[in-house]
Amino acid sequence: MTTLYEHGTLAALMAGNFDGTITVSDLLKHGSMGIGTFTGLDGEVVILNNEVYQAVSSGQVNHIIDMDATMPFASVHFPAEQQDITLRNVNFAKLNNDFVKEHKLANVFAFLQLSGEFKHVKIRIAPKQEKPYPTLLDVAQHQPEFTAENISGTIIGYYAPDIFGTITAAGWHLHFISDDRQFAGHLLAFDAPKLTGSFEIFDNLEQHLPIHNKEFRASEVDMATLRDGIAISEGNAE
Amino acid sequence: MTTLYEHGTLAALMAGNFDGTITVSDLLKHGSMGIGTFTGLDGEVVILNNEVYQAVSSGQVNHIIDMDATMPFASVHFPAEQQDITLRNVNFAKLNNDFVKEHKLANVFAFLQLSGEFKHVKIRIAPKQEKPYPTLLDVAQHQPEFTAENISGTIIGYYAPDIFGTITAAGWHLHFISDDRQFAGHLLAFDAPKLTGSFEIFDNLEQHLPIHNKEFRASEVDMATLRDGIAISEGNAE
């Protein structure tokens, strides 16, 4: 059995519940690889082999050593049944179409990690919010974007089926981090001649909800705008 | 930590994937209490303390002893943090409104079990389908309903948040079984002066997907009609 662990939901972020509800320490009990964000929607997180990196909206990348820092949303897993892959001339269009079809991902959760030389990378980084929190969609419309050319790094993240598009990001939700750990964020676009890495299909989603958090329990989700709001906030550019 | 285990999704049933993908034996490793259905959408299942009962569309209730029988969809749990409750003058309207508000269930998964004397119970039972399978919605529109008056029995099932309404039934999804185990099904309506039992809120959903099933991997979900289709197929009458 292979398990993807997810703490919190994008529906809760859409409702503006940005307070952290799991510590880094607790999160790492459920996975050594993953992505997420910190309290206040503070930045874009990459977790690689238990090392936690946070890109903040200035563009700076912090190596997180405070295991008590809290996160409202994160997805992690322990590698279990990884398959090695090599992809050539790869970009989001190729991942969204050819790769999903080839590996029959439409109805499953999957993990993807790809490393190599990128010709072009475009990322964005959510800026930290203060209370009273806006919604995820509000934040998504005002966040800095950064680009880099000819950069070595790693793409890491997950694929989720359409039917889970109210809980997490449907399709690919990928973050990027450079090999020198100086450039990272939520991946919007990329282009690379050759990337190697691994991917894994999960048969189990462990969805953890912060049931002891009062704002979470009381929050009202707008079902009419939820799916599109998440797609706009978390989608990739292509 | 309290965990609700769910095998399969209602989205897969909506797409007509009615083949069983988990054995009773494997399912019972994840819970001793729950609800579900068998291959071919054959009936309504109640699991009480590891005893598996299947109401079939003739109205008959079978005590299942074949641990190799397979199910396409089921929800089970092991009781962990149950709270005792007594409810008076209870029906679906009361559960859907007062109970959900009082216990702040809107954004969480919960289990409910209520026993006592019922003045009135209305159930329906999905009839077994043969290949090529229709959709869940087609089946839902042609299934026998039964009523009983002054009957002793138990309601058992789960509450799911709206945002999970593409994966499982949003709101209450309850089955009924009589004390004499002769009358059971998917609960459409009921009325009882006093019921006692227990409920429990989960902080974890373990959603298991049949990733090795070819039909599941290939199935195409119609997102436009999914939520409403599930609500029509699985909703209660009130």
Side-chain angles (χ1 to χ4, degrees):
Chain A
M1 195 181 72
T2 56
T3 296
L4 166 61
Y5 178 89
E6 188 163 272
H7 174 81
T9 66
L10 287 184
L13 296 192
M14 282 293 289
N17 295 332
F18 297 167
D19 278 347
T21 41
I22 192 168
T23 60
V24 171
S25 163
D26 280 342
L27 184 69
L28 293 177
K29 291 174 186 162
H30 301 280
S32 57
M33 312 288 282
I35 57 176
T37 190
F38 279 104
T39 283
L41 213 67
D42 189 11
E44 310 290 336
V45 171
V46 168
I47 303 173
L48 274 175
N49 303 317
N50 288 306
E51 299 298 322
V52 181
Y53 300 95
Q54 173 201 30
V56 295
S57 60
S58 65
Q60 187 182 319
V61 179
N62 303 316
H63 186 192
I64 301 296
I65 53 171
D66 176 7
M67 291 294 114
D68 295 328
T70 59
M71 307 171 78
F73 184 70
S75 304
V76 295
H77 78 288
F78 290 113
E81 296 183 6
Q82 292 196 161
Q83 302 176 44
D84 292 339
I85 46 168
T86 297
L87 297 178
R88 286 173 204 280
N89 300 318
V90 53
N91 54 25
F92 257 123
K94 187 156 185 168
L95 289 188
N96 290 342
N97 299 304
D98 303 1
F99 193 84
V100 166
K101 277 184 201 136
E102 184 188 350
H103 296 282
K104 296 188 173 56
L105 301 186
N107 297 314
V108 299
F109 287 91
F111 169 74
L112 182 64
Q113 182 180 358
L114 291 172
S115 299
E117 300 289 322
F118 292 75
K119 276 200 294 193
H120 175 79
V121 172
K122 183 180 180 185
I123 58 169
R124 58 93 167 145
I125 304 176
K128 185 180 185 185
Q129 305 296 311
E130 303 294 341
K131 287 188 173 181
Y133 292 133
T135 70
L136 178 63
L137 187 56
D138 289 334
V139 179
Q141 286 161 348
H142 305 93
Q143 53 193 348
E145 297 182 359
F146 301 87
T147 58
E149 315 291 323
N150 304 316
I151 186 169
S152 300
T154 294
I155 285 173
I156 177 173
Y158 299 95
Y159 183 89
D162 257 3
I163 63 167
F164 288 85
T166 49
I167 294 142
T168 191
W172 291 110
H173 182 181
L174 301 173
H175 288 189
F176 176 87
I177 188 164
S178 62
D179 283 355
D180 64 8
R181 308 304 187 229
Q182 300 295 307
F183 184 87
H186 175 101
L187 191 63
L188 293 177
F190 70 100
D191 191 5
K194 182 185 173 190
L195 298 175
T196 58
S198 57
F199 95 107
E200 177 164 352
I201 292 172
F202 302 102
D203 58 1
N204 217 36
L205 170 71
E206 193 174 336
Q207 174 66 55
H208 187 252
L209 300 175
I211 63 170
H212 301 297
N213 179 276
K214 281 182 186 173
E215 286 89 355
F216 173 74
R217 289 294 283 276
S219 77
E220 293 189 14
V221 174
D222 180 5
M223 289 302 298
T225 59
L226 183 61
R227 281 187 66 82
D228 288 349
I230 289 174
I232 292 167
S233 305
E234 296 297 324
N236 47 67
E238 293 170 292
Chain B
M1 195 181 71
T2 57
T3 297
L4 165 61
Y5 178 88
E6 188 162 271
H7 173 81
T9 67
L10 287 184
L13 295 192
M14 282 292 289
N17 294 333
F18 297 168
D19 278 346
T21 40
I22 192 168
T23 62
V24 172
S25 163
D26 279 343
L27 185 68
L28 292 177
K29 291 174 187 163
H30 301 280
S32 57
M33 314 288 281
I35 58 177
T37 190
F38 279 105
T39 283
L41 214 67
D42 188 11
E44 308 290 337
V45 170
V46 168
I47 303 173
L48 275 174
N49 303 318
N50 288 305
E51 299 298 323
V52 181
Y53 300 95
Q54 173 201 32
V56 295
S57 60
S58 64
Q60 188 182 318
V61 179
N62 303 316
H63 186 191
I64 301 297
I65 53 171
D66 177 7
M67 292 294 114
D68 295 328
T70 58
M71 307 172 77
F73 184 70
S75 305
V76 296
H77 77 289
F78 290 113
E81 296 182 7
Q82 291 197 162
Q83 302 177 43
D84 293 340
I85 46 167
T86 297
L87 297 178
R88 287 172 202 281
N89 301 317
V90 54
N91 54 25
F92 257 124
K94 188 156 184 167
L95 289 188
N96 291 341
N97 299 304
D98 303 1
F99 192 85
V100 167
K101 277 184 201 135
E102 184 187 349
H103 296 283
K104 297 189 172 55
L105 300 186
N107 297 315
V108 299
F109 287 92
F111 169 73
L112 182 65
Q113 182 180 359
L114 291 171
S115 298
E117 300 289 322
F118 292 75
K119 277 201 294 194
H120 176 78
V121 172
K122 184 178 179 185
I123 57 170
R124 57 94 168 145
I125 304 176
K128 185 180 184 185
Q129 305 297 311
E130 303 294 341
K131 287 187 172 180
Y133 292 133
T135 70
L136 178 62
L137 187 56
D138 288 335
V139 179
Q141 285 161 348
H142 304 94
Q143 53 193 348
E145 297 182 0
F146 301 88
T147 58
E149 316 290 324
N150 304 316
I151 186 169
S152 301
T154 295
I155 285 173
I156 178 173
Y158 299 94
Y159 183 90
D162 258 2
I163 61 166
F164 288 86
T166 48
I167 294 143
T168 191
W172 292 110
H173 182 181
L174 301 173
H175 288 189
F176 176 87
I177 188 164
S178 62
D179 283 355
D180 65 8
R181 310 299 188 230
Q182 299 296 307
F183 184 87
H186 175 101
L187 192 62
L188 293 176
F190 71 100
D191 191 5
K194 183 185 173 191
L195 297 175
T196 58
S198 58
F199 96 107
E200 177 165 351
I201 292 172
F202 302 102
D203 58 1
N204 216 35
L205 170 72
E206 193 173 336
Q207 174 65 55
H208 187 250
L209 300 175
I211 63 169
H212 302 296
N213 179 276
K214 280 183 187 172
E215 286 89 356
F216 173 74
R217 290 293 284 276
S219 77
E220 293 189 14
V221 174
D222 179 5
M223 289 303 297
T225 60
L226 183 61
R227 281 187 66 83
D228 289 347
I230 288 175
I232 292 167
S233 305
E234 296 296 323
N236 49 68
E238 292 169 292

